[in-house]
Amino acid sequence: MSNKMWGGRFETGPDAIMEEINVSIGFDQRLYAQDIAGSKAHASMLAAKGIIDKADAEKIAAGLDTILSEIEGGQFTFQRALEDIHMNVESRLAQLIGASAGRLHTARSRNDQVATDFRLYVRDTLDTLDAQIRDLQKALTEKALHYSGTVMPGFTHLQTAQPVTFGHHLMAYVEMLGRDRGRLRDARARLNECPLGAAALAGTSFPIDRFATATALGFDRPTANSLDSVSDRDFVLETLAAASICAMHLSRFAEEIVIWTSPLVGLIKLSDRFTTGSSIMPQKRNPDAAELVRAKIGRIAGAFNGLLMVMKGLALAYAKDMQEDKEGAFDAFSTLSLMIAATAGMVRDMVPNEKKMKEAAGQGYSTATDLADWLVRVLGLPFREAHHVTGRIVGLASDREIPLHKLKLEEMQGVEPRITKEVFGVLSVSKSVASRVSYGGTAPKNVRAQAKRWLKQLAKEG
């Protein structure tokens, strides 16, 4: 038996394998709210333009509200034979209100319908992700403000470079996440055009009002080209690209948490809430939440690349290949949401070992640059010469296996006679970070100012 929703030309039903590869209700049912909202807006517009009777439009709206309640109440039966969310809703609508349901699909196609539904879904997802990232920024900023003066080692090449503060380090991620939110907001602004009314690919001969449906659904405007309207999935790709970058930032932070919590490093501690144990080694405390955050970017970047491969060879307009746009995207968005929530939880949970951080900050001759700067600032040496002098002094300290500030003044003067005892004032890690007062630098007063600025901004957005 052919599909009663579209099978007028067909005499028999699809093969079981055809049904298996074609059906999408198993995953696109999550578009139910968006599908019903789009249908209500479409029916209202059709009635306003006199294309269908107002009585039919009222029946359609009431029936769709009933279906929404049934789905949300867990009383709706999704049927695989009806393929997708659109046909499942329309079939149930016919059961509820009879022949009037058949007027709903006037002047539209599943092509523009699914494009509209998916844009609505991605738009809702973007709003949720933005709120989540904002919460993570708040958690990071509050922690940064509290530890604005806590000294820790800063790294390049994962080698001790210069002392920074823990607050400054955390604020770096606040900036990254701010750019992530900007990319997601840009994606939202570009997707906020309504494809409904583009029909299958060429538009419609009915005198519809696409601006009315766009407004009703919260879009800025209708899409301007019917071919583009039904064949575009740029909005999904752009969102997945932005999501991948955000996930990459979270993965980098998770890697640092894994390193910091290692007993060999021991810069921070996570509680039982965000760690797990071993089935055989009772002493273990594993940072599994961080490790999983670190790993999950693969699913998000994979979804982006997967859809890119689907779209790369499609001639205009719609092709069934585009049904593959949803499963990966749904999973990617859910995965990113979970990553953000887990990261925010770890940030609020983590406690730094301030003593160990300060000790580590002084290792590896991290104040060598401060010595070079002092030679330039006080003795007037060209920086390249100061760099060379400092390197020789570091070599002396390294040979004796002592920190810079433990060298005797006479030993330093053996390299550069004009060095005075005042040099010891720049060789401590605390004075090093306090001196980094350039805009964006790690000085505690800078960190406090930036944190307060961000908290004020985040509060305004909330």
Side-chain angles (χ1 to χ4, degrees):
M1 180 179 178
S2 63
N3 190 308
K4 66 180 180 180
M5 304 302 288
W6 52 257
R9 184 182 175 183
F10 292 74
E11 296 180 0
T12 62
D15 186 270
I17 294 299
M18 178 59 199
E19 180 177 315
E20 187 64 29
I21 197 172
N22 188 53
V23 70
S24 62
I25 189 60
F27 53 86
D28 70 15
Q29 62 183 260
R30 72 173 63 193
L31 297 175
Y32 73 88
Q34 291 80 16
D35 192 70
I36 290 171
S39 291
K40 289 178 70 174
H42 185 66
S44 177
M45 180 276 296
L46 292 176
K49 295 297 292 183
I51 299 170
I52 67 173
D53 291 339
K54 289 187 178 180
D56 285 330
E58 289 172 0
K59 288 181 183 179
I60 289 169
L64 290 170
D65 285 339
T66 298
I67 294 170
L68 181 62
S69 297
E70 288 177 348
I71 296 174
E72 292 180 340
Q75 290 142 5
F76 188 94
T77 301
F78 293 101
Q79 300 180 53
R80 283 173 57 85
L82 293 171
E83 298 179 8
D84 56 33
I85 184 62
H86 323 298
M87 292 304 191
N88 268 265
V89 170
E90 189 172 333
S91 176
R92 177 57 178 150
L93 186 63
Q95 292 173 356
L96 289 171
I97 68 170
S100 295
R103 302 191 182 281
L104 174 59
H105 210 54
T106 306
R108 76 173 185 186
S109 161
R110 276 192 293 178
N111 294 357
D112 61 337
Q113 189 177 355
V114 69
T116 302
D117 291 359
F118 206 11
R119 281 180 186 251
L120 289 170
Y121 181 88
V122 174
R123 190 178 71 184
D124 291 343
T125 297
L126 284 166
D127 291 341
T128 299
L129 290 174
D130 183 76
Q132 280 192 286
I133 298 172
R134 176 188 167 277
D135 178 69
L136 174 54
Q137 286 182 294
K138 185 171 182 285
L140 285 163
T141 306
E142 289 172 344
K143 187 76 71 172
L145 184 60
H146 186 77
Y147 293 105
S148 60
T150 299
V151 177
M152 70 172 288
F155 301 95
T156 60
H157 309 276
L158 208 55
Q159 304 294 311
T160 302
Q162 293 177 258
V164 295
T165 66
F166 187 46
H168 191 59
H169 196 111
L170 295 178
M171 289 303 297
Y173 286 98
V174 175
E175 296 292 335
M176 293 180 215
L177 292 168
R179 294 191 295 274
D180 290 329
R181 291 179 69 194
R183 278 182 283 270
L184 292 170
R185 287 177 173 179
D186 287 347
R188 190 193 192 284
R190 265 183 289 277
L191 75 77
N192 207 35
E193 297 181 346
C194 183
L196 199 57
L201 75 162
T204 178
S205 59
F206 289 96
I208 61 172
D209 185 349
R210 293 190 62 209
F211 288 88
T213 48
T215 299
L217 293 170
F219 289 107
D220 294 331
R221 64 192 70 83
T223 50
N225 182 285
S226 60
L227 286 168
D228 178 55
S229 300
V230 299
S231 62
D232 166 49
R233 292 299 183 269
D234 298 2
F235 66 96
V236 191
L237 283 166
E238 184 174 10
T239 303
L240 287 171
S244 297
I245 296 172
C246 181
M248 175 270 295
H249 288 148
L250 298 178
S251 182
R252 293 183 72 182
F253 186 48
E255 166 70 356
E256 294 196 308
I257 292 173
V258 171
I259 293 171
W260 292 344
T261 55
S262 167
L264 294 174
V265 179
L267 297 186
I268 67 167
K269 182 179 179 181
L270 292 173
S271 77
D272 296 351
R273 296 174 65 241
F274 289 94
T275 56
T276 64
S278 165
S279 64
I280 189 173
M281 296 170 285
Q283 84 281 8
K284 293 294 295 296
R285 182 191 290 273
N286 300 322
D288 283 4
E291 291 173 358
L292 288 165
V293 167
R294 183 178 60 186
K296 285 183 181 294
I297 181 178
R299 297 168 71 151
I300 299 170
F304 169 69
N305 282 300
L307 182 55
L308 200 63
M309 293 304 100
V310 168
M311 299 301 298
K312 71 170 183 62
L314 297 187
L316 297 182
Y318 181 83
K320 194 68 170 185
D321 309 51
M322 293 166 67
Q323 184 168 288
E324 292 295 307
D325 61 354
K326 297 177 191 65
E327 282 185 280
F330 289 157
D331 180 75
F333 299 149
S334 297
T335 297
L336 181 58
S337 177
L338 181 58
M339 290 174 70
I340 297 167
T343 304
M346 287 188 288
V347 168
R348 292 189 166 100
D349 186 74
M350 66 173 59
V351 177
N353 185 331
E354 296 183 71
K355 181 180 178 182
K356 199 161 188 178
M357 279 188 170
K358 188 170 184 178
E359 289 173 355
Q363 295 172 0
Y365 305 103
S366 63
T367 58
T369 305
D370 298 273
L371 172 56
D373 289 346
W374 185 89
L375 294 171
V376 171
R377 187 171 59 251
V378 177
L379 301 187
L381 269 64
F383 183 80
R384 286 303 170 201
E385 182 180 347
H387 188 285
H388 182 72
V389 169
T390 300
R392 291 179 60 192
I393 293 173
V394 169
L396 288 175
S398 178
D399 290 342
R400 293 188 53 195
E401 298 184 345
I402 58 175
L404 278 178
H405 67 274
K406 294 290 187 179
L407 278 174
K408 293 180 181 179
L409 178 61
E410 293 79 11
E411 293 175 290
M412 294 189 194
Q413 289 174 333
V415 178
E416 170 50 65
R418 291 177 292 170
I419 294 177
T420 66
K421 64 180 180 180
E422 282 72 28
V423 74
F424 292 101
V426 303
L427 298 183
S428 72
V429 293
S430 296
K431 289 185 178 179
S432 173
V433 297
S435 72
R436 305 294 170 180
V437 294
S438 59
Y439 184 79
T442 191
K445 69 176 185 179
N446 286 18
V447 176
R448 288 191 292 272
Q450 292 285 8
K452 290 176 181 177
R453 176 182 67 82
W454 266 108
L455 286 174
K456 184 177 180 180
Q457 178 178 324
L458 293 170
K460 187 184 300 183
E461 292 172 358

